Amino acid sequence: MTQLAARRARPGPARVPALAVLQYHLVGYRRTWRGGALSSFLLPTLTVLGFGVGVGAYIDQGVDGVSYLEWIVGGLLASTALQVAIAESTWPVYSSLQWTKIYFAQHAAPLRVADIVAGQLAFVLLRVLTSAAVFLLVTGVLGALRSPWAVLALPVAALLGLAVAAPTFAYAATASSDSWLALLFRFAVIPMTLFAGVFFPVESLPVGLRWLAYATPLWHAVDLSRAATLGTAPVWSVTGHLLYLAAWAAGGWLLAHRALRRRLVV
Amino acid sequence: MTTAQPLIQARGLVKRFSGFTAVNAIDVAVRAGEAFGFLGPNGAGKSSTMRMIGCVSPPSGGELRILGMDPVRDGPAIRARLGVCPQLDTLDPELTVRENLITYARYFGIPRRVARLRAAELLDFVQLSERADSKVEPLSGGMKRRLTIARALVNEPEIVLLDEPTTGLDPQARHLVWERLFQLKQQGVTLVLTTHYMDEAEQLCDRLVVMDGGRIVAEGSPRVLIEQHSTREVVELRFAGESQEPFVSKLEQLGERVEVLPDRILLYVPDGDAAVVEVTALGLHPLNVLVRRSGLEDVFLHLTGRTLID
């Protein structure tokens, strides 16, 4: 009886439509998570060993009074979050518009453009959070974390994830060919990773470049994340960092919404 | 529920893209339970019209009401009651057949348990139960199409929009799709479809409009359209030689109308067999003669042929 009643009920838009979109992405992820999970354990282990232990061996005096490994781990966590966030919002978004055209199917259902963006970004956020959690676990086990405040690096990673995934979504939704996506890695991800304070303090850069580093969302997350893993105060104010990252996320959201709207509503 | 009010009502509906007008002031009314077709060549404005009805493309002018609602303001509420089978497949090739249906059902707020039941039923309906747990990617074009149709039915829609439902399918696959669509029609589902296949329109549509260059050039049931715009029968004649042209002037006196195609001449007459006798009496000896009944193809040739000359 109840079954019949439920089946007769007129379908409307889902109560929280973005959640249905997130579920869709999770169903897909269920097929591929194993390979991803392995690399999300392997990657932090290798980078900690390579940069922390390997490179660290040449840096006798450490940085700011802590060992190089301990100094670098917060930044590496943030840069991992950055990589995952951008990887998950470039090709997946591009493909959903150009190849599988899944977004068009979603938009033909009672989903709004905002639901589609929100569902995709929620999935990216989950990926960022789980990768960051694994990273924290591995580095914790390896003894590279100096403070229990390190757990706060997780929300920082999440915020950074949104701050970069949202504008990247907009970029991928606008891209006319997938070679634009590779450019993003070459000209944004790699330079950011190298110069936004992950491997050496931004203060070692010449003043002009230093301000470029400050402008990147990554540096703000690195400073917060490092403060968390070291249990010290960040170089800038916490509120300033959070507001800056939130501004990227909010601006990115608006751009992503507009870009997808332009593709779906014509 | 009033049956008198059309489910889809368009008056002076216009769609303009930068620089050109894809749909140029069309009037359409689709009633509950009918199978309604948009027939026309590529670029006639069929898909643009369908996208406006599907509430994913705001009209540039005129009036459009779907299920009594405004597609721009009430898009999600209308789309909740539509089933859409787009021209190109938009399935997730990495998911299984069943997962494609269940994830899609969730967009309509259908509970997971109900979605599973619906998926099983629909896969049975489109004869894909055996492939339920295989990935979509290796499926044939016809299977993907049937899955897309199943997906369009997952919310038990009041109107199903089918944009070129059998384009690109082999004859056997097409017939299977037609069978299912015919069954839906029998169940009282309102079907709206676009096609450039005349036989598809004749098979499925109770009523259709012929579109050309963004305008509706004729409207009616397939039979009425044929009666109005063509003769009862057609004689197809093929003559030896490079060109069919020299024979036209002689044939013109025999029928109501003559159309010249690159490889044959169509002679429109009330009685085909009688006309063939007359052709022979004129001393003409075509290589091939075929007498058939007029179809929508002839209506279309007649209508668009005229616009081309204009």
Side-chain angles (χ1 to χ4, degrees):
Chain A
M1 258 316 274
T2 50
Q3 215 173 71
L4 212 67
R7 299 188 52 191
R8 290 271 165 78
R10 169 163 292 169
R15 219 165 288 142
V16 187
L19 217 55
V21 178
L22 173 62
Q23 281 175 356
Y24 155 75
H25 292 294
L26 289 173
V27 169
Y29 188 56
R30 208 164 58 192
R31 308 199 146 264
T32 55
W33 72 276
R34 282 176 199 84
L38 183 70
S39 71
S40 58
F41 272 101
L42 220 58
L43 208 73
T45 315
L46 290 179
T47 42
V48 164
L49 288 177
F51 286 106
V53 183
V55 178
Y58 293 90
I59 306 169
D60 299 330
Q61 76 279 31
V63 187
D64 298 340
V66 299
S67 79
Y68 186 60
L69 175 59
E70 289 166 335
W71 188 84
I72 199 181
V73 79
L76 280 177
L77 173 63
S79 87
T80 300
L82 174 95
Q83 309 254 0
V84 172
I86 292 189
E88 290 289 347
S89 49
T90 41
W91 273 276
V93 169
Y94 184 82
S95 145
S96 301
L97 271 172
Q98 304 283 350
W99 297 328
T100 64
K101 301 187 184 290
I102 293 296
Y103 289 159
F104 292 93
Q106 292 177 334
H107 191 229
L111 300 173
R112 296 164 307 158
V113 173
D115 302 325
I116 300 170
V117 179
Q120 180 79 56
L121 289 179
F123 176 70
V124 175
L125 204 57
L126 263 180
R127 290 278 297 114
V128 168
L129 266 174
T130 49
S131 305
V134 168
F135 191 99
L136 214 53
L137 196 77
V138 171
T139 50
V141 167
L142 292 175
L145 305 175
R146 280 178 67 94
S147 158
W149 286 107
V151 291
L152 286 183
L154 284 182
V156 170
L159 184 57
L160 171 68
L162 268 188
V164 296
T168 304
F169 185 118
Y171 179 81
T174 322
S176 53
S177 123
D178 64 336
S179 49
W180 288 99
L181 306 181
L183 286 183
L184 190 67
F185 281 85
R186 221 165 294 152
F187 294 106
V189 176
I190 294 174
M192 259 201 267
T193 309
L194 289 178
F195 298 107
V198 175
F199 297 104
F200 55 87
V202 167
E203 289 67 36
S204 335
L205 292 169
V207 178
L209 280 180
R210 205 180 297 172
W211 281 97
L212 271 181
Y214 290 151
T216 66
L218 180 58
W219 178 74
H220 296 267
V222 167
D223 194 33
L224 285 173
S225 186
R226 175 168 294 135
T229 57
L230 293 177
T232 57
V235 178
W236 274 28
S237 89
V238 174
T239 322
H241 281 316
L242 293 179
L243 283 177
Y244 189 73
L245 290 172
W248 269 81
W253 166 271
L254 292 177
L255 290 175
H257 187 273
R258 198 173 66 173
L260 188 62
R261 200 184 146 74
R262 281 202 178 149
R263 299 303 294 265
L264 295 184
V265 183
V266 282
Chain B
M1 177 154 161
T2 51
T3 45
Q5 191 173 358
L7 294 190
I8 301 170
Q9 174 96 57
R11 288 202 194 91
L13 185 61
V14 175
K15 184 69 195 185
R16 268 187 295 269
F17 296 105
S18 51
F20 84 107
T21 305
V23 178
N24 196 353
I26 62 168
D27 297 323
V28 171
V30 178
R31 292 184 288 266
E34 75 176 335
F36 188 90
F38 290 93
L39 178 71
N42 290 331
K46 304 174 310 240
S47 291
S48 297
T49 305
M50 286 295 254
R51 290 173 46 74
M52 286 192 278
I53 297 173
C55 310
V56 293
S57 169
S60 318
E63 193 189 315
L64 180 62
R65 306 289 288 177
I66 298 146
L67 299 164
M69 291 182 275
D70 174 357
V72 175
R73 217 190 44 225
D74 311 313
I78 298 171
R79 295 201 300 267
R81 294 160 65 183
L82 299 181
V84 179
C85 176
Q87 196 169 340
L88 298 170
D89 288 321
T90 54
L91 300 161
D92 187 323
E94 295 297 320
L95 297 192
T96 67
V97 167
R98 193 196 305 278
E99 285 168 344
N100 262 282
L101 290 183
I102 294 175
T103 53
Y104 205 74
R106 302 287 296 141
Y107 301 156
F108 294 85
I110 297 170
R112 183 168 294 276
R113 187 176 44 82
V114 181
R116 295 197 78 83
L117 285 173
R118 286 292 297 156
E121 269 177 20
L122 287 168
L123 289 179
D124 197 42
F125 176 66
V126 296
Q127 299 178 5
L128 281 175
S129 300
E130 283 167 25
R131 304 301 295 267
D133 296 309
S134 76
K135 273 197 189 185
V136 165
E137 196 170 14
L139 297 187
S140 72
M143 286 176 169
K144 284 181 184 161
R145 211 91 271 268
R146 268 142 56 204
L147 177 56
T148 301
I149 291 172
R151 192 181 68 180
L153 299 174
V154 83
N155 57 327
E156 301 185 298
E158 287 155 76
I159 307 172
V160 180
L161 306 177
L162 302 133
D163 198 358
E164 310 253 345
T166 65
T167 296
L169 300 189
D170 61 61
Q172 205 190 345
R174 291 180 72 198
H175 278 280
L176 198 51
V177 168
W178 285 350
E179 247 175 68
R180 298 300 110 167
L181 295 180
F182 191 75
Q183 233 173 313
L184 282 178
K185 187 177 145 179
Q186 299 295 93
Q187 290 167 15
V189 177
T190 307
L191 301 181
V192 179
L193 61 105
T194 71
T195 183
H196 56 241
Y197 294 125
M198 314 293 163
D199 51 351
E200 185 159 278
E202 283 183 50
Q203 289 246 358
L204 293 173
C205 298
D206 299 316
R207 219 153 51 83
L208 55 89
V209 290
V210 180
M211 285 189 82
D212 190 41
R215 290 180 179 279
I216 290 175
V217 292
E219 175 177 359
S221 69
R223 206 175 45 162
V224 166
L225 282 173
I226 293 165
E227 275 168 17
Q228 280 178 354
H229 300 282
S230 193
T231 52
R232 208 172 75 87
E233 294 192 326
V234 188
V235 184
E236 296 199 3
L237 303 156
R238 184 177 312 210
F239 291 96
E242 288 286 292
S243 165
Q244 309 284 321
E245 283 292 344
F247 304 96
V248 175
S249 53
K250 288 185 184 168
L251 292 170
E252 257 165 357
Q253 47 177 314
L254 298 185
E256 286 184 20
R257 199 156 58 83
V258 175
E259 295 278 357
V260 188
L261 302 180
D263 63 335
R264 60 194 196 279
I265 296 175
L266 306 182
L267 182 58
Y268 290 90
V269 292
D271 183 341
D273 291 327
V276 172
V277 173
E278 290 176 61
V279 170
T280 325
L282 282 176
L284 295 175
H285 301 286
L287 292 177
N288 264 316
V289 178
L290 171 73
V291 177
R292 58 168 177 83
R293 299 184 70 102
S294 271
L296 284 175
E297 200 144 6
D298 303 295
V299 172
F300 192 71
L301 192 61
H302 183 44
L303 291 170
T304 57
R306 216 161 46 192
T307 35
L308 280 176
I309 292 161
D310 288 351

